[in-house]
Amino acid sequence: MNSPANKVPKKRTVEQEIRRRTIIAFSVFFVCLACGGLLFARLYNEPADANNVQPTLRGGLKANEKMFSLFYSKTREAKKFPKSDAVKKVRVNGDVGMDGELDTSWRLRVVRNPGDTLSLTIDDIKALPKTEVVFDFKCVEGWSQVTWWGGVRFSDFMKKYNLVQQTAMHYVGMVTPDESYYVGNDMPSMLQPQTLLCYEMNGKPLPQNQGYPLRLIIPVKYGIKHLKRIGVMFFSNDKPADYWAERGYDYFSGL
Ligand SMILES: Nc1nc2c(c(=O)[nH]1)N[C@H]1C(S)=C(S)[C@@H](COP(=O)(O)O)O[C@H]1N2
Ligand SMILES: [Mo]
């Protein structure tokens, strides 16, 4: 049974071994190439959805989104910085829905329920307790900046205006006054303590091109979600329309 003869492996010559390994390497290479080719052909020929994204790619994005929202915790905070780290010259990026200057007729319209809209002045909002955040603002384009913002915590705002019932909804939608830029954010991210209805930057009123008189600051999300110049705010269980998600970006856009 265990005779030494059985244990001696069949010896290959060096040339045989090289040939064997070469064949394996090429086989693996061609199998991978074929798989890659098939996948590419499939994606290439697949009809795009209404937002110009192939369902397979969209599926990947959805899976990612699900994974990240599973890991999301309401208490998670974006890294904090001292005010002295905040840049003086804050980059201006994105001007959709920002045409022209706003005058004093601006109001924040909050749709408490369909057909029941609250109308608030900027002084109403400034009368609420102020919170400041200094965090690293990140844009999907690949730049980031430590910036300093002031305003009322969204969660404080919801309490003060008796909107606690609405915090049970899954999403908050926001739209610019001209309705050309719009975002949807999930409620847990909105209720996170660093999320602000923001009216100050570097301790001064927001400049026009940075969202005067009121913008969203939501540090757990990429820049695309920080809507400037809020006109209307509403609550819903379905995903509100989202400008960049419609153009193929991740709806969750979490950090
Ligand atoms: N109304 C409006 N808000 C917007 C945008 C826009 O085009 N219109 N662009 C977004 C993007 S992509 C980024 S990175 C941030 C930039 O904010 P900032 O101009 O204050 O740096 O605003 C976001 N909010
Ligand atoms: Mo951005």
Side-chain angles (χ1 to χ4, degrees), residues 91-98 175-177 181 208-212 214-216 226-231:
R91 186 164 167 160
V92 176
N93 205 56
D95 58 1
V96 183
M98 310 274 295
V175 186
T176 54
Y181 197 80
Q208 284 281 351
N209 56 11
Q210 263 153 333
Y212 175 89
L214 193 69
R215 75 175 296 171
L216 179 65
H226 300 227
L227 182 131
K228 298 189 278 191
R229 197 186 272 190
I230 309 170

Side-chain angles (χ1 to χ4, degrees), residues 163-175:
L163 295 164
V164 175
Q165 222 187 329
Q166 280 77 354
T167 62
M169 305 286 264
H170 299 335
Y171 294 97
V172 179
M174 288 182 175
V175 186

Side-chain angles (χ1 to χ4, degrees), residues 72 133 152-156 188-197 216-220:
Y72 185 79
V133 297
V152 56
R153 270 193 184 130
F154 179 78
S155 59
D156 289 345
S189 300
M190 288 298 295
L191 295 176
Q192 194 270 357
Q194 292 165 306
T195 299
L196 306 181
L197 297 177
L216 179 65
I217 285 293
I218 181 161
V220 294

